[in-house]
Amino acid sequence: MGNRGMEDLIPLINKLQDAFSSIGQSCNLDLPQIAVVGGQSAGKSSVLENFVGRDFLPRGSGIVTRRPLILQLVNSKAEYAEFLHCKGRKFVDFDEVRLEIEAETDRLTGSNKGISPIPINLRVYSPNVLNLTLIDLPGMTKVAVGDQPVDIEHQIRDMLLQFITKESCLILAVTPANTDLANSDALKIAKEVDPQGLRTIGVITKLDLMDEGTDARDILENKLLPLRRGYIGVVNRSQKDIDGKKDIRAALAAERKFFLSHPAYRHIAERMGTPLLQKTLNQQLTNHIRDTLPGLRSKLQSQLLSLEKEVDEYKNFRPDDPARKTKALLQMVQQFGVDFEKCIEGSGDQVDTSNLSGGAKINRIFHERFPFELVKMEFDEKELRKEISYAIKNIHGVRTGLFTPDLAFEAIVKKQIIKLKEPCLKCIDLVIQELINTVRQCTNKLGSYPRLREETERIVTTYIRERDSKTKDQVLLLIDIELSYINTNHEDFIGFANAQQRTAANATKKRVMPNQVIRRGWLTINISIMKGGSKDYWFVLTAESLSWYKDEEEKEKKYMLPLDNLKLRDVEKGFMSSKHVFAIFNTEQRNVYKDLRQIELACDTQEDVDSWKASFLRAGVYPEKDQADNEDTMTPGDTVSMDPQLERQVETIRNLVDSYIGIVNKSIRDLMPKTIMHLMINSAKDFIHSELLAYLYNAGDQGSLMEESAEQAQRRDEMLRMYHALKEALVIIGDISTTTVSTPVPPPVDDTWMVKDPRMNLNIFKYENSTVLYFQ
């Protein structure tokens, strides 16, 4: 045999191929193989049949090989064939092998001459073969025939490249001698992926069909278009021989006689023929396997290590073991509780960098969304003064009051406090929704057990809904407590004396430092195309102004807008726009920017809009109030100015209401997050840690609760099979001896006969003082 010191290596690789093919996995290993490439009718199938000594491959005109055939030749005393997809069945009649290949090909590709990259695995045992592993690939073609797809050339080329681009694949480039060698499809594609010629072996077929007076002596002597590993000539059976059922043994004898008797090949007859090609391939493949074996072992070990953690829990797996189900249930519930707490409290592992979720989103609701909802309720100044005026008049009755009545103050304050109920309840609803989203996110890890996931989500969500009503009752109780006693002795309350001296200007005084930067970020200014179109700018919001710059370096300022008399309003999203928009306008009907009465600012999400609005609130820029309805319903008498004494009383109560409502708002803003955290969030965490398991046990049979999903069972089986296949492969490789007698790689040859023209996408072949252009 070609390399007896390593004759066990090729069966080893065959075992590895079978191990991974049987589980439908390639294990991402480039297993050493020999790929047979060439044009249609180049004689590829005949070469393979000569190796085996039997007729077993489909024949016909056009494209016959339509799926890769992985042919494993095993030297054995008995002669039979086995297909990987027909386990346990031995084919003794090789005509049946041909029919099975045709049937298996049609099963995937149909009978319309289509192709498929999914291989057929065939193993042939025979005393007449050497240990080889070859891949018969579809012949390259240029034109689609019949109902073949128009891109058949590219499909075949892509399939060939899938195999021959791997560094571990030897390329058997088959070219008929009766065609122009410079236009050989096999040599061209081999040269593309193996420019150094380390993996390419040339095979010249149909030497007996060359025109009279011509021969391939220069090619076979590696003088014309030389390859590093040279060429081997073979003579296959003619179509007449095949039709006449000429025995392959007789064909091999005729091939031997042809080389010995031909005057051009007589001197190199010992280096020609199918038996020598078989030995050469065996030796080259064996040496190649020896070279790739260390890398193969390293890849197997690295893949095994990557599977260790996941497989560890499955090693002693028994699906119906009650103890396993109990342990799994406890672990799943415990992990769910840990994940939920991490989502709420925040953690350093598995941080979501694309969206706010869990505790971060709830924090935004507490400190941005809820304060914004409170400010949105800020009184309509005209309506409030009218209510105060009516209250004072109704309290005085038929008399003309000389003093400001405190009952009017109390009535107006209570009316404003009642309005706090709506934003408080809305805040709770937003937190509830985020908690439910967090529960769903955390139950994703329970996907292996669909019933457990469903029950866990149902139980926890139901508990949160129950806490919802209790939390709302408590918040409403807080507001009722505020209503029950108006504490005018509060240390922050201005009192009647200060209220009379306070002016409207002092009332609207900013609460932040003048130069304090409140927010920075990107916003889009929406401007019509006629005026320049929308553009993104870097905005800086301070307590006194809104400035925008070209970029975040803040060197090139585009504009600075003072915040005096500015208000916010909502703007509907455009029909074709994906952005969310709000606007800034001047309450005195002045232009805000250039000739624009308002500027529209756009964000990517509604959350960004709400966050920017909350920032503007801190700067003293409030949302507008819809006063159209009030103005339409006003009677002429409503617009008549009050007498000076009543005006002073209204102004005093107005200042008192403003002061007291500020105290209430501050208290509510502080107590709302605390109430929600105590009654809802912390309570949900405690429930998950201490009571969820009991609820799950009461929910139904533990067996059905811990029933695996089909996907999980399949994934576990595949992982275990892969794990055991990798371990088995490592044991096989570890037992093999790697001492061998090897032949060195042939020295480089002058391969300038195929050079790349950098100016065009074509190859230039040079031989016999002529030039052939080969277009890609």
Side-chain angles (χ1 to χ4, degrees):
M1 292 193 185
N3 195 349
R4 295 183 181 276
M6 292 287 281
E7 61 184 7
D8 288 337
L9 272 187
I10 295 177
L12 163 72
I13 295 301
N14 291 344
K15 286 181 183 178
L16 290 177
Q17 286 176 324
D18 279 353
F20 295 126
S21 295
S22 65
I23 61 174
Q25 299 286 343
S26 67
C27 210
N28 296 323
L29 296 175
D30 295 335
L31 298 173
Q33 296 167 327
I34 298 173
V36 184
V37 298
Q40 286 185 16
S41 303
K44 302 188 305 301
S45 297
S46 295
V47 170
L48 294 179
E49 287 183 335
N50 285 349
F51 286 169
V52 177
R54 293 282 187 172
D55 293 324
F56 68 96
L57 292 175
R59 292 186 174 276
S61 60
I63 182 170
V64 178
T65 305
R66 295 185 285 127
R67 286 177 60 183
L69 175 69
I70 298 180
L71 178 62
Q72 298 174 353
L73 306 181
V74 182
N75 186 267
S76 171
K77 292 181 181 180
E79 188 175 31
Y80 60 93
E82 289 180 341
F83 285 96
L84 191 62
H85 63 271
C86 298
K87 288 186 176 178
R89 181 182 174 187
K90 294 183 178 181
F91 291 80
V92 180
D93 185 349
F94 281 80
D95 287 334
E96 292 184 10
V97 173
R98 181 191 303 111
L99 294 175
E100 181 60 31
I101 292 174
E102 292 174 347
E104 181 64 12
T105 299
D106 291 343
R107 187 178 66 82
L108 275 189
T109 63
S111 56
N112 64 346
K113 300 292 184 181
I115 65 172
S116 168
I118 301 174
I120 299 173
N121 287 70
L122 172 64
R123 176 173 289 178
V124 175
Y125 297 84
S126 172
N128 305 314
V129 301
L130 294 177
N131 293 334
L132 283 177
T133 300
L134 304 105
I135 306 172
D136 187 21
L137 295 166
M140 288 175 280
T141 184
K142 299 292 181 186
V143 181
V145 296
D147 53 359
Q148 286 179 348
V150 292
D151 64 339
I152 187 73
E153 176 187 0
H154 299 293
Q155 286 189 29
I156 294 176
R157 177 182 168 81
D158 291 343
M159 185 192 301
L160 265 57
L161 290 174
Q162 285 180 20
F163 289 92
I164 66 175
T165 50
K166 299 174 182 177
E167 287 298 320
S168 60
C169 181
L170 293 174
I171 304 168
L172 195 63
V174 179
T175 305
N178 59 351
T179 61
D180 192 349
L181 189 64
N183 289 332
S184 167
D185 291 324
L187 289 177
K188 175 185 176 294
I189 198 168
K191 191 70 175 177
E192 287 181 22
V193 299
D194 181 32
Q196 301 299 320
L198 295 173
R199 302 187 284 119
T200 305
I201 301 171
V203 177
I204 305 299
T205 62
K206 303 187 180 181
L207 290 166
D208 55 330
L209 300 181
M210 296 185 72
D211 293 337
E212 189 174 348
T214 62
D215 60 61
R217 177 174 174 172
D218 288 345
I219 296 173
L220 294 176
E221 289 181 349
N222 211 24
K223 294 177 181 178
L224 181 68
L225 310 186
L227 288 175
R228 194 163 185 171
R229 294 188 181 273
Y231 296 88
I232 296 176
V234 297
V235 176
N236 299 323
R237 292 176 302 165
S238 65
Q239 190 61 45
K240 180 181 177 181
D241 294 336
I242 295 169
D243 295 339
K245 303 291 183 182
K246 183 177 181 179
D247 184 63
I248 289 182
R249 293 183 183 86
L252 291 175
E255 177 191 50
R256 175 72 175 161
K257 182 179 178 182
F258 171 83
F259 283 115
L260 288 172
S261 60
H262 197 289
Y265 310 132
R266 187 180 300 144
H267 66 293
I268 55 173
E270 297 302 320
R271 289 185 280 134
M272 297 292 121
T274 301
L276 183 95
L277 175 61
Q278 195 171 357
K279 289 180 181 179
T280 302
L281 291 179
N282 178 273
Q283 181 170 354
Q284 299 294 350
L285 184 59
T286 303
N287 291 339
H288 190 73
I289 291 173
R290 182 211 59 205
D291 294 337
T292 57
L293 202 58
L296 196 62
R297 183 184 290 108
S298 297
K299 285 186 177 181
L300 288 169
Q301 287 172 338
S302 64
Q303 290 214 348
L304 191 67
L305 285 173
S306 67
L307 286 177
E308 279 284 0
K309 274 189 178 179
E310 293 184 71
V311 171
D312 192 47
E313 57 181 298
Y314 299 138
K315 282 183 181 176
N316 302 312
F317 184 83
R318 285 183 295 163
D320 298 324
D321 183 7
R324 181 199 66 81
K325 291 186 175 182
T326 302
K327 181 181 178 182
L329 177 61
L330 291 172
Q331 288 175 339
M332 290 286 186
V333 172
Q334 184 180 15
Q335 187 60 46
F336 172 73
V338 171
D339 291 342
F340 182 80
E341 189 158 353
K342 281 184 177 180
C343 283
I344 299 299
E345 302 295 338
S347 67
D349 57 337
Q350 298 180 349
V351 176
D352 186 352
T353 57
S354 56
N355 293 296
L356 285 182
S357 61
K361 202 162 185 178
I362 292 172
N363 180 67
R364 173 178 270 190
I365 293 170
F366 285 160
H367 302 298
E368 289 186 5
R369 188 67 184 270
F370 180 57
F372 177 71
E373 294 294 332
L374 289 179
V375 176
K376 268 173 63 176
M377 293 177 42
E378 200 170 83
F379 349 100
D380 178 343
E381 191 65 33
K382 188 181 292 186
E383 184 67 22
L384 179 61
R385 288 180 177 275
K386 188 171 69 172
E387 289 177 1
I388 295 173
S389 172
Y390 286 160
I392 292 172
K393 289 178 180 178
N394 287 331
I395 288 170
H396 286 152
V398 295
R399 299 180 301 278
T400 300
L402 299 177
F403 304 101
T404 303
D406 55 352
L407 288 177
F409 159 73
E410 194 166 317
I412 297 298
V413 162
K414 286 184 176 180
K415 187 175 181 181
Q416 298 304 321
I417 291 175
I418 290 173
K419 290 180 181 180
L420 295 175
K421 291 182 178 182
E422 183 181 346
C424 289
L425 297 179
K426 185 176 182 179
C427 176
I428 295 172
D429 289 336
L430 290 172
V431 174
I432 287 282
Q433 188 57 50
E434 187 52 38
L435 278 179
I436 292 174
N437 290 340
T438 302
V439 170
R440 286 177 183 153
Q441 178 184 337
C442 294
T443 54
N444 285 338
K445 290 188 177 180
L446 308 181
S448 304
Y449 305 95
R451 180 84 197 285
L452 174 63
R453 175 181 176 176
E454 181 183 325
E455 283 299 314
T456 301
E457 188 173 322
R458 181 188 65 80
I459 292 169
V460 178
T461 301
T462 302
Y463 180 80
I464 291 174
R465 295 288 185 196
E466 291 173 358
R467 301 306 299 178
D468 173 27
S469 59
K470 293 182 179 179
T471 306
K472 285 180 177 177
D473 289 344
Q474 182 63 32
V475 168
L476 293 177
L477 178 62
L478 288 176
I479 294 174
D480 289 340
I481 290 171
E482 291 286 353
L483 288 170
S484 65
Y485 179 66
I486 307 301
N487 181 18
T488 54
N489 287 323
H490 194 282
E491 58 184 1
D492 294 332
F493 187 57
I494 60 172
F496 274 84
N498 292 330
Q500 289 172 343
Q501 299 170 7
R502 191 172 175 186
T503 62
N506 291 333
T508 58
K509 186 170 61 178
K510 295 195 186 297
R511 294 187 295 266
V512 291
M513 298 297 293
N515 295 323
Q516 179 186 352
V517 174
I518 296 173
R519 181 167 185 146
R520 288 182 169 92
W522 288 98
L523 286 172
T524 302
I525 296 183
N526 281 352
I527 302 176
S528 66
I529 298 176
M530 300 294 292
K531 296 182 179 180
S534 301
K535 289 184 181 178
D536 293 336
Y537 293 105
W538 179 259
F539 279 74
V540 177
L541 175 65
T542 69
E544 292 188 335
S545 66
L546 176 67
S547 304
W548 52 93
Y549 299 81
K550 180 182 178 182
D551 52 43
E552 58 264 44
E553 292 183 3
E554 298 182 14
K555 291 181 180 179
E556 188 178 336
K557 183 184 286 189
K558 295 294 183 180
Y559 197 74
M560 186 179 78
L561 176 66
L563 299 184
D564 297 332
N565 301 317
L566 293 185
K567 283 205 171 185
L568 306 174
R569 67 164 53 123
D570 293 324
V571 178
E572 288 189 6
K573 189 166 67 170
F575 175 69
M576 297 295 291
S577 173
S578 61
K579 299 214 170 201
H580 300 262
V581 187
F582 67 100
I584 301 174
F585 69 98
N586 191 296
T587 56
E588 296 182 352
Q589 301 299 315
R590 295 178 180 175
N591 290 343
V592 178
Y593 174 57
K594 296 183 179 178
D595 59 345
L596 300 175
R597 289 294 177 92
Q598 72 173 24
I599 53 172
E600 295 183 2
L601 303 176
C603 304
D604 291 330
T605 65
Q606 185 60 44
E607 285 185 359
D608 290 337
V609 170
D610 293 340
S611 183
W612 270 101
K613 285 181 178 179
S615 299
F616 275 107
L617 293 180
R618 290 182 57 203
V621 179
Y622 299 106
E624 70 169 334
K625 292 294 178 181
D626 186 8
Q627 299 178 5
D629 294 340
N630 293 335
E631 292 173 0
D632 291 343
T633 57
M634 274 190 180
T635 61
D638 291 330
T639 59
V640 177
S641 62
M642 299 174 280
D643 64 82
Q645 183 178 343
L646 182 58
E647 281 187 11
R648 284 194 299 273
Q649 291 177 349
V650 168
E651 184 67 26
T652 299
I653 291 181
R654 170 68 185 84
N655 291 337
L656 291 171
V657 169
D658 189 39
S659 173
Y660 196 81
I661 290 298
I663 294 170
V664 173
N665 280 354
K666 185 177 180 181
S667 175
I668 292 295
R669 278 203 307 268
D670 181 58
L671 287 173
M672 273 292 291
K674 294 176 179 178
T675 304
I676 293 173
M677 282 297 297
H678 176 68
L679 293 177
M680 188 182 298
I681 298 175
N682 290 343
S683 178
K685 288 192 292 186
D686 293 341
F687 172 81
I688 290 170
H689 284 299
S690 59
E691 298 182 52
L692 175 59
L693 192 60
Y695 273 81
L696 285 170
Y697 274 119
N698 291 333
D701 175 42
Q702 182 187 345
S704 63
L705 200 63
M706 296 305 294
E707 188 174 326
E708 281 187 313
S709 65
E711 294 81 3
Q712 172 66 11
Q714 181 181 354
R715 178 175 176 272
R716 184 190 67 250
D717 291 342
E718 287 179 357
M719 192 177 297
L720 286 172
R721 289 205 320 249
M722 172 70 80
Y723 178 79
H724 291 305
L726 287 167
K727 287 196 75 173
E728 181 184 356
L730 279 171
V731 170
I732 293 170
I733 292 177
D735 290 342
I736 203 73
S737 169
T738 57
T739 59
T740 181
V741 177
S742 62
T743 55
V745 177
V749 295
D750 179 14
D751 58 359
T752 55
W753 55 271
M754 187 180 198
V755 296
K756 193 82 171 180
D757 190 332
R759 299 165 298 171
M760 300 176 62
N761 191 26
L762 52 84
N763 291 317
I764 303 175
F765 294 82
K766 296 182 178 180
Y767 74 107
E768 292 184 355
N769 300 319
S770 63
T771 302
V772 177
L773 300 184
Y774 193 98
F775 287 86
Q776 284 187 278

